Amino acid sequence: MLPSYDPQKIETEVQRGWSERGAFIASEDDEREKFYCLEMFPYPSGKLHMGHVRNYTIGDVISRYQTMLGKNVLHPMGWDAFGLPAENAAIQNKTAPAKWTHENIKHMRAQLQRLGFSYDWSREFATCDPQYYRWEQWFFTKLYERGLVYKKEAEVNWDPVDKTVLANEQVIDGRGWRSGALVEKKKIPQWFVRITDYAEELLSSLDDMEGWPDSVKTMQRNWIGKSVGAEVRFTVAGQEDLAVFTTRPDTLLGVTYLAVAADHPLTIAAAQNKPEVAAFRQQCQQSSTAEADLETMEKLGIALDIEAVHPISGESIPVWCANFVLMSYGTGAVMAVPAHDQRDYEFATKYGIDIKPVIYPLEGDLDISEQAYVEYGELRNSGQFDGLSSAQAITDITAWLVSNGLGEKRVNYRLRDWGVSRQRYWGCPIPMIYDADGKAHAAPEFPVELPTDVVMDGVGSPIKKMASFIDTIDPVNGGPASRETDTFDTFFESSWYYARYCCPDLSTAMLDQRANYWLPVDQYIGGIEHAVMHLLYARFFHKLMRDVGLLDSDEPFKRLLTQGMVIAETYLRRDENGKTEYFNPDDVEVSIDEKGVITGAVLKSDGAPVEIGPVEKMSKSKNNGVDPQSMIDKYGADTVRLFTMFAAPPDQSLEWNDDAIAGASRFLRRVWNLFAAHAETLRETGLKPQAQLQTDCASVKASRLTIHTLVQRAARDYQRQQFNTVVAAAMELTNAAEKTDWAAMGDQAPLVLSELCFNLLKILAPVTPHLCEQLWSEFGDQNSALTEGWLQVDDTALVRDEINYVVQVNGKLRGKISVAADAASADIEQLAQEDANVQKFLDGLTVRKIIVVPGKLVNIVAN
């Protein structure tokens, strides 16, 4: 007998066994092919959400599958522990960020372990551990020595109340997201890493990254933004030449104004004498500089009453200050061609600036009455260049500028150097020291440890006023000196953590040869929202580590899977002021009609009606999240894992469905009950991969055909990472087992049953490992583990005596026939026409053509 299915008890016992035998500890001393699987590590926010669960379940399924293929698998986990949320939580809870972070890590680690993920916990670390960040500090000083790090003034969003720098995303309607204060644009010294030195390699190597989604590679190409064109110099009386970059030199004779940034020297000079320019500058400084906002915001400007001289025509060109030009991009100035650029067109139309067409279509008339003409064409109104095609004019005008000393051929990149300074406390201290003259020197010893016994008062970083941290010794002459009080951008830590997992116990160096054994990561898994920040910085960091001699490989991640979001219904209510309040699904009762359609919803507390909103990503703001822990407590970890794999393909959005997770639980009970119903037989036969049978029994052949058809499909879908159809195959196999007339097979039934149950466990093992491990311990070979060996298809079982064909008449299904597997095409055609149902649809028609698709269908064309 087999006891009833108790997932909580089973999962606890199975996990204890894994822990006791160190089932997931990886070793480099292994002759098997290595496989490194990694999910993007979490920020320790306090508890897991369903997005975490889906991400980590995908990675665990892949890791377990690769283990069963016979590979030496590394599957680590750690914590992306620095960051602003810990500071905010420390202020709110009157505690230190370190204490809050480590308490959260403890809780989330327990949640991950409860889900049964196959992590090698011996390699765990948090990025706030000094023994981790000491090595990125050391590495930063090596980059400094190589000239890849520098410091310069850069404009930031400054919150005057919180006394801190805000990211663009933290500026809402010109105000700080937390304090509500009007944000100021402020220039402060910041440290930068020269990612632009690697722009071309980062771009060109994307072509060789076949294991990455095209969408991510496209996003990175666009972010790097290579542009081939010309730098053009316009002269300004009494000022330095105004340099602009353009990819369309063919439109140069159509320039009717130049636009400069609010912080451009020409704007600053004009503002000293023109209050209206000063006011416009102030307005721009309170606006967002995020690219998404720049694209959608109203384009505004003000004339500076400054004239530039066109380099070819010699005409005077007015100079404007515009809010869509940023000093941090390029030269802080752009040439405007309203006739051939839509943004320039809208700006010129708004302010009554001339619009001069110079590119005309090769066929038809030019019409710029409502919008700019942005295509290539033929030049007119361009003096000596009239009649040239755009392509030829780009070459000839660039050559003319170069020969006359008025321009250069240029390759520009949209990518800018990586600003790594943050005026935060909870981060890795930047390891630089300033002598009495303010000159920067690299710190001589590491770690430069962040003090953790602090009080967060919400006003700036506590280490900026902590003499015990700031005061130090000049590493060159031994005099008094001061430490840098900025900390690293947290992307700095997450750009190399994957490499440190290879040798986390190493105390004498950043990496050793174990990193070259494991890297690159064979499978990386995470959200597409990280496509152009984390993933680009990690690629850059990898190349830096290679060039310093720490690594042999060129890229960090061989294959990338970007999982879809977890989405759920929203329930909301709007008050008379338009404010929206969202309600958790657990607090709402819905009405469903006889067709299963939701017709309304009310609050359980008071019966007040609520609106059923759109399906959206689970989030705190929409209050539509489902607590994974409550699902685990109710159904068990295997059920939650099964649901997240079955509900949708990994790269597509998964919609939460309470009924579906209950259905997943019922299915696992069916699997358990299948083994329980045949426990006595299975104990006698054990579990065997293939039944060695020589038989003509039709039911045996049919059963084995079903088994190995599904085994073949599951093996293929595991390889394709289509785990939802893997689960579907397991469900079909369970259905087949329940419907099989085992008595009809006689004494061969135990062997076929053993074969079916063996393969069912193999298919499900990566997805629901606890249940499968427990059933294997009851009925499997005690000398081997469930995870040893993969699915094996018996090709002889796939041989069919008969094949089913569907028969179409003029493309519409009209019948089905069974024919001998070796039947000739002519025989198949004849049988199709002789089918009684098919004949009804051929009555009175003449057959013109018969198409046979081998093994699938017959289409009869008749009229």
Side-chain angles (χ1 to χ4, degrees), residues 650-800:
D651 58 346
Q652 295 181 20
S653 291
L654 180 158
E655 183 173 353
W656 182 262
N657 185 306
D658 288 338
D659 291 338
I661 194 166
S665 176
R666 288 193 298 272
F667 168 68
L668 292 185
R669 291 186 182 279
R670 285 172 55 206
V671 171
W672 183 271
N673 291 338
L674 170 67
F675 281 78
H678 299 281
E680 186 176 344
T681 301
L682 291 173
R683 290 193 198 285
E684 291 178 4
T685 61
L687 299 177
K688 308 296 182 185
Q690 294 177 6
Q692 303 301 317
L693 299 169
Q694 297 293 328
T695 181
D696 292 325
C697 176
S699 59
V700 169
K701 287 186 175 181
S703 249
R704 298 197 71 237
L705 174 61
T706 298
I707 292 168
H708 287 278
T709 298
L710 293 171
V711 165
Q712 186 180 56
R713 187 203 304 173
R716 177 200 65 202
D717 289 343
Y718 264 114
Q719 189 173 14
R720 296 166 56 221
Q721 297 183 343
Q722 294 299 303
F723 305 125
N724 58 314
T725 52
V726 166
V727 175
M731 291 178 171
E732 287 185 48
L733 195 54
T734 304
N735 292 341
E738 292 172 340
K739 294 176 182 178
T740 296
D741 181 1
W742 296 105
M745 297 185 195
D747 59 4
Q748 298 174 90
L751 294 175
V752 178
L753 175 67
S754 168
E755 181 178 27
L756 184 150
C757 290
F758 174 95
N759 285 291
L760 179 58
L761 291 188
K762 286 284 184 179
I763 291 171
L764 281 174
V767 181
T768 58
H770 306 91
L771 175 141
C772 294
E773 184 101 9
Q774 184 66 29
L775 290 174
W776 183 267
S777 70
E778 294 281 350
F779 304 109
D781 184 347
Q782 299 306 309
N783 296 319
S784 67
L786 173 63
T787 54
E788 290 178 8
W790 185 230
L791 297 167
Q792 298 295 322
V793 178
D794 185 349
D795 292 331
T796 63
L798 298 177
V799 176
R800 299 170 184 258

Side-chain angles (χ1 to χ4, degrees), residues 73 262 305 584 586 640 651 773:
V73 173
D305 294 335
N584 191 272
D586 289 341
V640 175
D651 58 346
E773 184 101 9

Side-chain angles (χ1 to χ4, degrees), residues 44-47 79 81 89-90 93-111 126 128 426:
S45 57
K47 62 180 182 179
W79 310 95
N93 299 314
K94 295 181 172 55
T95 186
K99 181 181 178 182
W100 182 85
T101 299
H102 286 293
E103 286 175 352
N104 287 352
I105 287 173
K106 181 179 179 181
H107 179 68
M108 291 177 70
R109 182 193 301 116
Q111 285 187 299
C128 63
W426 188 236

Side-chain angles (χ1 to χ4, degrees), residues 55-67:
N55 185 15
Y56 304 142
T57 302
I58 291 169
D60 196 56
V61 169
I62 292 172
S63 295
R64 290 176 179 275
Y65 161 62
Q66 293 292 335
T67 298

Side-chain angles (χ1 to χ4, degrees), residues 126-332:
T127 57
C128 63
D129 297 340
Q131 292 310 306
Y132 175 79
Y133 66 69
R134 68 175 291 191
W135 293 112
E136 72 186 50
Q137 291 176 334
W138 169 84
F139 190 63
F140 183 82
T141 65
K142 296 303 155 188
L143 300 179
Y144 180 70
E145 291 171 5
R146 288 172 169 247
L148 288 167
V149 166
Y150 64 94
K151 192 173 190 181
K152 73 168 185 178
E153 281 202 339
E155 188 175 77
V156 297
N157 301 311
W158 180 256
D159 187 317
V161 173
D162 281 353
K163 298 187 184 305
T164 190
V165 173
L166 302 178
N168 287 328
E169 298 76 30
Q170 296 169 323
V171 179
I172 302 171
D173 296 329
R175 295 181 179 272
W177 68 285
R178 201 171 71 86
S179 72
L182 280 173
V183 170
E184 303 169 0
K185 289 289 190 293
K186 186 176 180 180
K187 283 192 173 181
I188 61 174
Q190 299 204 78
W191 288 99
F192 289 82
V193 183
R194 297 185 191 276
I195 191 173
T196 52
D197 284 12
Y198 285 74
E200 185 58 39
E201 185 183 357
L202 287 167
L203 181 65
S204 60
S205 56
L206 287 169
D207 295 336
D208 300 323
M209 295 165 61
E210 296 179 357
W212 281 43
D214 288 339
S215 58
V216 175
K217 292 192 286 186
T218 297
M219 291 168 75
Q220 289 208 0
R221 287 190 183 98
N222 293 339
W223 189 263
I224 296 167
K226 182 177 181 178
S227 300
V228 178
E231 185 177 274
V232 185
R233 289 191 287 277
F234 291 76
T235 58
V236 180
Q239 303 284 344
E240 292 186 5
D241 289 351
L242 199 57
V244 301
F245 174 80
T246 178
T247 60
R248 293 290 303 270
D250 57 322
T251 67
L252 183 55
L253 275 299
V255 172
T256 59
Y257 67 97
L258 299 174
V260 297
D263 285 330
H264 193 280
L266 288 179
T267 308
I268 294 171
Q272 293 176 354
N273 301 314
K274 295 179 177 294
E276 63 274 21
V277 174
F280 183 74
R281 282 195 71 229
Q282 182 67 25
Q283 181 182 346
C284 290
Q285 288 175 339
Q286 293 174 356
S287 300
S288 170
T289 57
E291 284 197 40
D293 295 334
L294 288 175
E295 287 292 326
T296 57
M297 70 168 49
E298 183 184 3
K299 308 303 186 289
L300 301 174
I302 189 168
L304 300 182
D305 294 335
I306 296 172
E307 302 286 324
V309 178
H310 195 286
I312 297 178
S313 69
E315 295 175 352
S316 293
I317 306 294
V319 181
W320 286 66
C321 174
N323 67 346
F324 56 80
V325 185
L326 300 179
M327 197 63 207
S328 57
Y329 282 84
T331 61

